[in-house]
Amino acid sequence: MTELTVCPQCHGALEAGMRFCPGCGYEASPGTETVSGLVSPTVSTDPFMQIPEQMELLKQVTIGEYEIVGELGQGGMAAVFLANDLALERKVAIKLMSPTLLQGPGLAERFRREARTAGSLSHPHIIPIYAVKEDPRALYFVMKYIPGRSLESILRETGPLPFPMVRSILTEVGAALDHAHRRGIIHRDVKPGNIMVDEDGFAVVTDFGIAKAIQSPGITQTGTMVGTPSFLSPEACLGDEVTALSDQYSLGIVAYQMLTGELP
């Protein structure tokens, strides 16, 4: 039997050794390494799938369209994989949503709708979404592959960043958020893990609209917190309505961490 532990943030069930809570994204075990290796072609229906199981599932549901190459990253809501687009002969990133987030009524459609909204944004510092695909077993997003690293990974390795780099990242992320805000789209989960820095040092914001998608009826209620606690604005922490100012508050926390290497 699989041993379960409890997330100290949201008190949801955690599989022993799991790095991120699938419910709230809390980093439960920072030292845990990603599981790798071969798995049986039989796909588990356990909502707490490990990476090899998720990768095998993705291979099955994308066969003939994409060649799944390997894992790029994992968070509380999804795992991201590198793949080859067989028709267009290009590398793409595929984000496979956590099965635990798809159990609510109408949530898959909510994700599709929010992804279409996010996909309508056209800005050099917002990652393009190419497609949203659904299988009875999975929901996934096909996005542009950005060769580089997340800002979270950079901060974890280097600590405080040089001021010119901080200024550049803030300018580019701020421009991306402004582009979205002027079109009525709030990110809701601005944090280093959702900011990619490519090989040329340019910042790209990911996951527009995804945080909003989990705020559908039956999934969250008034007073429920959505997002990553350390970067949330006070109104978001209270479960109140969020605005563009909430994203600006979160970006301020990101700026503080880039300058000091710590959270306020």
Side-chain angles (χ1 to χ4, degrees):
M1 178 179 293
T2 302
E3 181 182 353
L4 294 178
T5 57
V6 175
C7 172
Q9 180 66 47
C10 70
H11 307 294
L14 279 179
E15 193 171 20
M18 180 175 282
R19 179 174 178 183
F20 294 96
C21 172
C24 69
Y26 179 83
E27 190 169 5
S29 178
T32 303
E33 296 182 357
T34 302
V35 179
S36 61
L38 299 176
V39 294
S40 164
T42 300
V43 178
S44 170
T45 57
D46 183 350
F48 302 105
M49 282 185 180
Q50 297 298 322
I51 286 295
E53 293 178 291
Q54 294 184 55
M55 188 168 174
E56 182 61 30
L57 170 61
L58 194 58
K59 286 180 178 179
Q60 292 181 18
V61 300
T62 62
I63 190 167
E65 290 187 275
Y66 302 98
E67 176 192 16
I68 309 304
V69 177
E71 179 204 358
L72 290 174
Q74 183 181 19
M77 295 194 296
V80 184
F81 298 89
L82 175 64
N84 291 320
D85 184 325
L86 300 178
L88 298 178
E89 297 183 350
R90 64 181 177 184
K91 290 182 179 179
V92 295
I94 299 182
K95 171 166 285 193
L96 178 67
M97 303 311 297
S98 168
T100 60
L101 295 180
L102 303 179
Q103 296 173 357
L107 189 54
E109 174 55 31
R110 178 87 179 198
F111 271 117
R112 286 195 298 271
R113 186 167 62 251
E114 293 302 332
R116 285 194 295 267
T117 301
S120 69
L121 297 174
S122 178
H123 190 275
H125 298 293
I126 296 176
I127 192 168
I129 296 178
Y130 295 146
V132 183
K133 306 230 176 198
E134 184 181 4
D135 179 273
R137 296 166 291 173
L139 175 66
Y140 56 97
F141 303 80
V142 183
M143 306 173 292
K144 180 179 180 179
Y145 168 59
I146 305 292
R149 302 170 61 190
S150 71
L151 179 59
E152 178 183 38
S153 172
I154 295 171
L155 289 171
R156 185 181 298 121
E157 180 177 310
T158 67
L161 302 179
F163 181 75
M165 184 176 183
V166 173
R167 180 176 56 194
S168 175
I169 291 174
L170 288 177
T171 299
E172 292 164 357
V173 174
L177 293 175
D178 178 63
H179 175 81
H181 294 162
R182 284 187 285 110
R183 286 155 181 79
I185 299 174
I186 312 301
H187 190 287
R188 290 174 170 78
D189 197 18
V190 177
K191 61 181 179 180
N194 283 335
I195 300 171
M196 292 292 296
V197 180
D198 71 14
E199 295 175 327
D200 296 320
F202 293 100
V204 181
V205 183
T206 68
D207 277 3
F208 265 99
I210 305 305
K212 181 181 178 182
I214 66 175
Q215 291 182 305
S216 60
I219 303 301
T220 62
Q221 297 81 33
T222 301
T224 298
M225 182 173 59
V226 175
T228 304
S230 297
F231 298 91
L232 287 183
S233 64
E235 63 271 22
C237 287
L238 293 171
D240 294 339
E241 182 180 358
V242 299
T243 66
L245 296 177
S246 303
D247 282 350
Q248 292 177 26
Y249 183 99
S250 298
L251 185 58
I253 302 296
V254 173
Y256 185 98
Q257 187 179 22
M258 287 195 290
L259 289 169
T260 68
E262 301 176 350
L263 290 168

